[in-house]
Amino acid sequence: MPLPIYPESTCSSADQTQPSGTVTKKAAPFQGNVAFVTLGCAKNLVDSEVMLGVLLDQGYRAVENPEQADVIVVNTCAFLQSAVEEGIDKILEMAAYKKSARCRKLIVAGCMVERYRQQLQAEIPEVDRFVSTDELLKIGEEGSTTAECFDQARRPYFLYDETMPRALSTGKHSAFIKISEGCNRPCAFCIIPKIRGGLRSRQQSSILSEFKLLLDHGVKEFNLVAQDLTAYGTDFPGNRGIKSELADLLSNIDQISQDDFWVRLFYAYPVGTNQELIRQIIASQKICNYLDIPLQHVSNSVLKSMRRPLGEKGTRALIESIREAAPDLAIRTTFILGFPGETEADVEMLEEFVSAGHFTHVGAFTYSQEEEADSFTYPEQVPDQVKEARRARIMAAQKKVVDQRLAKLVGSEMKVLVDGFHPDTELLLSARTEWQGPETDGQVIINDVPEEFANQLSDLQGKFVRVKITEVKDFDLIATLIS
């Protein structure tokens, strides 16, 4: 169940006197069960947790099964057409519960509302309320989306902070922290700035306060996310759109507490990934040896068409410099296959780049035609079948790299964070190393536990333990618990 993380000023858990003598706000009357369906990225997940926190504060109770919900909220993604199609299917699926179950209100929120506000309202009457990304704190109000949210010239401004109610849905030990919203980059294939607006960074004091709040609730793993992580703070006065404050933020996070916790970084823009940042990661005892840097390609011509800041030479130099300065740093990246104008030679170059073994994790995606993106009108569009074949080649190349990398780990010992029981059975535990991010990077499956721990498996969730790797299974490691 979600873990409420309420700021003290809005806590509504009960009407009772605390040890300090303060009195919390009286609990709101029960209003019904609410279920959330969150689509898309981790940034969307944070938005859902904020909306859930608001509803819990108003007297709703969270349930996982939509059949048991009086209110269903679908938080949508609209980055790609495939995500839009998934969103529409999920909305219609949830709408069916208004007839077959107890649902009395269906709410749709998120990026699809930003991208297709008017169409959705006109074409899906089953939805009772649309909530824009600026209206997260108004999720419990009646009526439909406010009129100003249908102004196409409007740009979102909302930025959550540590004062807002939030309920973690990632377990008691792991949390995502969004340090900025929006993006100022001009990538030709991307519509995020049109959906989410320009860059808006949170103040360091706000982020550090949230860290302390979550630490007090037992969180051990913090995943920093943003559309453009390395641009953090460039929008602050005096930084002139150039100076990032990410390394400084990490330094301050490192000094928050002596407690054992991890911090992992997602979505670092290549041009902002500099030596200062790498040195901070290396020097820190808290920051994971892990960095997600979406490179998108290595071919000079493709990168230029994409309007990416680094060409082939700069991209190779960046990765080589990281490898030289931090050989143990796990790099995750993503590539787009089938971008307009991409040739067989371009794909061969990318295949060679991946096969060189630079990357611990690779995500490969086929280019998607998005009408609002500048690349929509580009000539030399690549057929879908060719895109898929090229994607398969890159993933096959990376699979060979992963097989070799993981095989070398058999027999080694390492620190892992236990997520809990394995989804398939309570005879196994699921855990992750510092170079395995949530959901996407594989896991460590603990299948052998010393007798002294046998009756304490449930107590190990959210704890750091040491394991010995015994074998490899696809993208996962099998291990024995040793301490």
Side-chain angles (χ1 to χ4, degrees), residues 337 364 366 386-398:
L337 280 301
T366 57
V386 176
K387 293 179 192 176
E388 292 292 346
R390 290 176 177 178
R391 176 191 176 279
R393 282 172 56 184
I394 298 306
M395 291 309 297
Q398 176 63 12

Side-chain angles (χ1 to χ4, degrees), residues 399 402-403 406 442 471-478:
K399 183 62 167 64
V402 170
D403 289 346
L406 296 184
E471 59 181 299
V472 177
K473 181 176 176 57
D474 297 325
F475 288 94
D476 298 332
L477 296 169
I478 312 300

Side-chain angles (χ1 to χ4, degrees), residues 270 295 297-298 303 310-320 353:
L295 296 174
H297 219 284
V298 73
L303 289 168
L310 300 179
E312 177 193 353
K313 184 177 179 180
T315 299
R316 291 184 185 275
L318 171 63
I319 299 304
E320 289 168 6
F353 188 47

Side-chain angles (χ1 to χ4, degrees), residues 144-451:
S144 194
T145 310
T146 55
E148 57 265 27
C149 289
F150 288 89
D151 177 6
Q152 295 298 323
R154 162 190 160 276
R155 287 293 179 265
Y157 62 87
F158 179 82
L159 184 64
Y160 100 100
D161 61 36
E162 82 288 0
T163 68
M164 299 174 185
R166 181 179 176 189
L168 295 185
S169 58
T170 49
K172 64 182 181 180
H173 64 284
S174 181
F176 289 91
I177 293 184
K178 184 158 46 171
I179 68 171
S180 68
E181 184 63 270
C183 182
N184 291 342
R185 305 295 183 182
C187 302
F189 55 82
C190 184
I191 62 172
I192 291 297
K194 297 179 180 179
I195 294 176
R196 288 279 183 168
L199 176 69
R200 308 180 299 286
S201 300
R202 292 174 62 187
Q203 294 295 322
Q204 285 201 37
S205 58
S206 170
I207 298 169
L208 296 174
S209 293
E210 185 173 17
F211 256 91
K212 295 172 185 176
L213 180 65
L214 291 169
L215 277 170
D216 288 344
H217 280 79
V219 172
K220 297 294 185 182
E221 176 182 74
F222 300 85
N223 300 289
L224 299 191
V225 293
Q227 190 63 35
D228 184 355
L229 199 71
T230 42
Y232 170 74
T234 57
D235 56 321
F236 291 158
N239 288 345
R240 300 179 298 171
I242 300 173
K243 184 182 182 300
S244 171
E245 295 193 8
L246 180 59
D248 185 52
L249 172 65
L250 297 181
S251 177
N252 289 329
I253 288 172
D254 212 29
Q255 300 171 42
I256 285 178
S257 169
Q258 296 301 314
D259 293 346
D260 198 6
F261 63 88
W262 277 346
V263 181
R264 195 178 288 106
L265 309 181
F266 284 95
Y267 319 129
Y269 201 70
V271 79
T273 305
N274 52 33
Q275 289 301 311
E276 180 188 15
L277 176 61
I278 301 303
R279 284 195 297 268
Q280 182 59 47
I281 294 174
I282 296 171
S284 172
Q285 296 298 311
K286 307 292 189 183
I287 312 303
C288 293
N289 281 318
Y290 179 105
L291 189 59
D292 187 307
I293 317 173
L295 296 174
Q296 310 305 5
H297 219 284
V298 73
S299 162
N300 202 57
S301 61
V302 175
L303 289 168
K304 184 177 180 179
S305 293
M306 287 180 170
R307 295 183 190 164
R308 298 292 285 178
L310 300 179
E312 177 193 353
K313 184 177 179 180
T315 299
R316 291 184 185 275
L318 171 63
I319 299 304
E320 289 168 6
S321 68
I322 295 174
R323 282 278 148 261
E324 182 177 350
D328 295 329
L329 182 72
I331 302 176
R332 159 173 267 284
T333 192
T334 53
F335 297 113
I336 296 175
L337 280 301
F339 191 78
E342 181 188 63
T343 66
E344 176 63 23
D346 296 327
V347 180
E348 289 177 359
M349 185 183 301
L350 180 57
E351 190 173 15
E352 169 270 321
F353 188 47
V354 170
S355 297
H358 299 299
F359 309 108
T360 306
H361 311 287
V362 167
F365 304 91
T366 57
Y367 167 74
S368 176
Q369 273 282 70
E370 304 299 325
E371 191 170 357
E372 298 95 327
D374 291 343
S375 57
F376 183 77
T377 58
Y378 280 13
E380 301 180 82
Q381 296 286 333
V382 178
D384 288 344
Q385 187 175 1
V386 176
K387 293 179 192 176
E388 292 292 346
R390 290 176 177 178
R391 176 191 176 279
R393 282 172 56 184
I394 298 306
M395 291 309 297
Q398 176 63 12
K399 183 62 167 64
K400 293 178 181 178
V401 170
V402 170
D403 289 346
Q404 295 172 5
R405 187 185 298 273
L406 296 184
K408 294 178 181 179
L409 297 176
V410 174
S412 65
E413 297 181 7
M414 58 186 64
K415 175 183 175 180
V416 299
L417 178 63
V418 179
D419 283 323
F421 289 116
H422 192 277
D424 295 338
T425 174
E426 292 191 357
L427 299 176
L428 304 174
L429 292 174
S430 292
R432 286 176 292 109
T433 67
E434 65 176 309
W435 44 266
Q436 290 174 316
E439 303 294 337
T440 58
D441 295 336
Q443 62 182 324
V444 177
I445 301 172
I446 303 174
N447 69 347
D448 188 8
V449 179
E451 187 174 344

